[in-house]
């Protein structure tokens, strides 16, 4: 999608400013580079007017830090002016690689620590920035989106806390349950599907891929991800299948009911390529069990696609499954922390979302519609025509 295809003939909300927290620094720098290049190339007729003040810059990154005291407490500091700016704050709550010192001991940062740091930066900017948008690819506490007993509703509380602090819009990717936005009905909440990037990633992993009903199927590993798989299947004109989990509700292991079996609903998979798509790979057990079940049904190549690759129990089981021929390719995005070990795996393909996020930020800064970005059907069709040709 070329930048000039978008209607950006509106006045920016304010000078653009980006604050990627330490957890999201690499992604933020890539986004910044795209924005710098586009705005230098863009020939806008009103570029020299006061409404386009600071439109062209060498960098839109704001110098912001969250230093910590020896006790583990912290504070948010912004060292550049953000007064009147249209501010975008990026945070990866899953980046466990960052550490801090607590009473002389090294602590790894948890999602709670990242969320607190986000609030500290918002508090430092509030009242100065013209508009604050939080880009949180992995929605904090998004997995705790509903009650099944006397439980807290952490995600709803977190969203309300952010909007009460003055955040205008929240952008996330592949929310575990998008209905959590009901907690903040009067504020902007967008959950973005990276389907286009996955399609590009499939061809990057396997350039000779052929997409048609006779040779490929989309698979949802559980009933919760049905809408995601249905959308991708409809966009590509493919059939889909679904596994549903039979659980033992009399037991709780690691905070969840253990899965007894995966039952399949769908047409014959023999000889077809399978794209198993989900929002996240946590331990990876469910995804690999589904892949194994498809292999037993004589499926051809298996592509594992997940927006967030958390790999909470390491990569050993994926290495073994790959060696055993359970799956052929693994695709996740760079929206959460990727270990050097993961990036070195020959079966792994990373789907880069930095350009897509730069499009969204650039468009929002102009107060233009992002509908076509959220549902990129035209781009997908153009890409498929080019790939098939």
């Amino acid at each position: 999608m070329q930048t000039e295809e978008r209607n950006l003939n509106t006045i920016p909300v304010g000078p653009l400013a980006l604050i990627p927290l330490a957890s999201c620094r690499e992604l933020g720098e890539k986004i910044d580079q795209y924005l710098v290049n586009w705005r230098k190339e863009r020939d806008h007729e009103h570029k020299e007017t006061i409404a386009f003040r600071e439109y062209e810059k060498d960098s839109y990154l704001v110098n912001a830090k969250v230093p910590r005291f020896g006790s583990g407490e912290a504070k948010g500091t912004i060292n550049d002016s953000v007064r009147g700016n249209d501010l975008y704050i990026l945070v990866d709550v899953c980046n466990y690689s960052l550490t801090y010192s607590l009473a002389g001991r090294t602590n790894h940062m948890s999602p709670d620590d990242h969320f607190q740091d986000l609030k500290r930066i918002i508090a430092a900017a509030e009242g100065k920035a013209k508009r604050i948008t939080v880009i949180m690819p992995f929605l904090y506490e998004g997995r705790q989106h509903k009650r099944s007993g006397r439980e807290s509703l952490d995600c709803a509380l977190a969203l309300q806390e952010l909007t009460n602090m003055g955040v205008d819009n929240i952008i996330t990717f592949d929310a575990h349950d998008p209905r959590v936005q009901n907690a903040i009905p009067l504020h902007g909440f967008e959950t973005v599907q990276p389907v286009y990037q996955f399609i590009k990633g499939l061809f990057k992993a396997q350039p000779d891929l052929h997409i048609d009903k006779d040779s490929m199927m989309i698979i949802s590993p559980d009933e919760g991800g049905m809408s995601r798989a249905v959308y991708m299947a409809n966009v590509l004109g493919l059939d889909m299948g679904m596994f549903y989990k039979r659980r033992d509700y009399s037991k709780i292991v690691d905070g969840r009911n253990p899965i007894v079996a995966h039952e399949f609903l769908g047409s014959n998979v023999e000889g077809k390529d399978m794209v198993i798509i989900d929002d996240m790979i946590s331990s990876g057990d469910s995804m690999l069990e589904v892949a194994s079940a498809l292999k037993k049904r004589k499926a051809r190549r298996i592509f594992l696609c997940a927006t967030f690759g958390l790999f909470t129990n390491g990569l050993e089981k994926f290495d073994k499954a790959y060696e055993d021929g359970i799956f052929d390719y693994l695709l996740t995005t760079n929206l959460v922390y990727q270990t050097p070990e993961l990036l070195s795996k020959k079966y792994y393909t990373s789907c880069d979302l930095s350009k897509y996020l730069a499009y969204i930020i650039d468009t929002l800064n102009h107060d233009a519609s992002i509908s076509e970005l959220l549902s990129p059907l035209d781009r997908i069709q153009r890409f498929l025509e080019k790939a098939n040709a």
Side-chain angles (χ1 to χ4, degrees):
M1 182 177 184
Q2 301 300 313
T3 53
E4 56 268 18
E5 285 183 35
R6 292 171 297 133
N7 180 20
L8 298 180
N9 291 323
T10 52
I11 294 173
V13 172
L16 179 59
L18 301 178
I19 299 183
L21 298 188
S23 59
C24 230
R25 191 74 195 176
E26 187 179 340
L27 181 64
E29 287 171 352
K30 284 184 178 180
I31 292 169
D32 179 56
Q33 202 53 56
Y34 278 116
L35 293 168
V36 168
N37 293 339
W38 291 342
R39 294 197 167 190
K40 281 183 178 175
E41 294 167 4
R42 189 174 294 149
D43 186 22
H44 204 290
E45 59 179 317
H46 302 294
K47 218 175 196 179
E48 304 305 320
T49 66
I50 194 169
F52 280 72
R53 178 176 59 91
E54 297 181 8
Y55 190 74
E56 253 187 54
K57 294 174 73 175
D58 293 330
S59 176
Y60 299 97
L61 298 177
V62 172
N63 182 3
K65 290 183 172 58
V66 185
R68 287 188 179 265
F69 303 101
S71 59
E73 297 167 290
K75 62 179 178 180
T77 61
I78 299 176
N79 299 318
D80 296 332
S81 173
V82 293
R83 188 174 294 279
N85 286 2
D86 185 20
L87 182 61
Y88 295 82
I89 306 174
L90 293 91
V91 61
D92 172 14
V93 297
C94 294
N95 192 338
Y96 58 85
S97 70
L98 300 181
T99 60
Y100 63 92
S101 178
L102 174 59
R105 294 182 176 86
T106 299
N107 260 20
H108 284 266
M109 290 185 70
S110 71
D112 294 341
D113 292 317
H114 288 300
F115 187 66
Q116 286 300 118
D117 282 359
L118 170 66
K119 291 196 295 181
R120 289 175 177 120
I121 292 297
I122 293 169
E126 179 51 39
K128 312 297 181 293
K130 187 170 186 180
R131 185 175 72 176
I132 298 177
T133 300
V134 168
I135 299 177
M136 188 188 294
F138 186 94
L139 188 60
Y140 173 70
E141 292 291 356
R143 298 172 78 172
Q144 182 50 25
H145 60 280
K146 65 179 180 180
R147 279 199 177 111
S148 56
R150 193 52 50 219
E151 296 177 341
S152 59
L153 289 171
D154 298 54
C155 187
L157 282 172
L159 293 177
Q160 289 180 355
E161 200 169 357
L162 291 179
T163 54
N164 289 340
M165 291 183 74
V167 172
D168 298 281
N169 298 296
I170 297 168
I171 297 172
T172 188
F173 280 77
D174 225 340
H176 199 59
D177 189 339
R179 289 173 295 185
V180 76
Q181 67 188 289
N182 291 338
I184 50 168
L186 302 180
H187 290 80
F189 180 94
E190 300 293 348
T191 176
V192 186
Q193 297 279 355
V195 172
Y196 176 53
Q197 285 72 23
F198 276 139
I199 293 169
K200 284 170 51 174
L202 290 172
F203 280 92
K204 181 181 173 184
Q206 190 61 50
D208 70 344
L209 204 62
H210 192 65
I211 294 180
D212 63 47
K213 277 191 175 184
D214 298 324
S215 60
M216 182 178 276
M217 274 180 72
I218 307 295
I219 304 294
S220 173
D222 55 39
E223 60 276 23
M226 273 282 288
S227 60
R228 188 181 303 107
V230 167
Y231 178 74
M232 190 169 185
N234 288 345
V235 164
L236 297 176
L238 303 177
D239 291 331
M240 71 149 287
M242 184 198 84
F243 282 85
Y244 68 91
K245 298 169 183 172
R246 272 202 293 125
R247 294 182 181 271
D248 183 355
Y249 286 100
S250 65
K251 298 177 186 173
I252 295 179
V253 178
D254 294 333
R256 60 183 182 177
N257 304 108
I259 298 164
V260 177
H262 288 85
E263 306 290 354
F264 182 64
L265 298 172
S267 57
N268 184 22
V269 304
E270 187 173 346
K272 295 180 182 178
D273 290 334
M274 300 286 114
V275 178
I276 307 172
I277 185 162
D278 207 356
D279 60 338
M280 73 180 79
I281 294 175
S282 185
S283 64
D285 292 336
S286 293
M287 197 72 112
L288 292 177
E289 284 173 27
V290 166
S292 179
L294 289 170
K295 277 292 184 184
K296 287 175 185 174
R297 288 173 169 80
K298 299 181 181 177
R300 192 179 169 217
R301 293 175 296 195
I302 304 277
F303 297 83
L304 307 181
C305 296
T307 308
F308 307 108
L310 306 181
F311 305 107
T312 53
N313 293 350
L315 295 167
E316 290 79 11
K317 65 179 70 174
F318 285 90
D319 292 340
K320 186 177 186 307
Y322 177 71
E323 289 166 11
D324 295 342
I326 301 294
F327 74 94
D328 298 271
Y329 301 96
L330 172 64
L331 294 84
T332 68
T333 71
N334 63 337
L335 294 172
V336 292
Y337 171 66
Q338 298 165 299
T339 63
E341 182 190 5
L342 174 66
L343 294 170
S344 69
K345 299 295 181 185
K346 62 181 178 181
Y347 55 75
Y348 179 69
T349 300
S350 176
C351 300
D352 187 3
L353 269 291
S354 57
K355 190 175 184 179
Y356 190 26
L357 273 168
Y359 276 137
I360 291 172
I361 291 170
D362 195 24
T363 309
L364 284 175
N365 180 236
H366 275 269
D367 233 2
S369 172
I370 61 170
S371 298
E372 288 184 9
L373 289 171
L374 298 180
S375 184
L377 296 176
D378 290 340
R379 280 188 296 156
I380 291 171
Q381 293 306 320
R382 283 201 300 270
F383 178 81
L384 290 177
E385 285 170 13
K386 187 178 175 183
N388 290 333

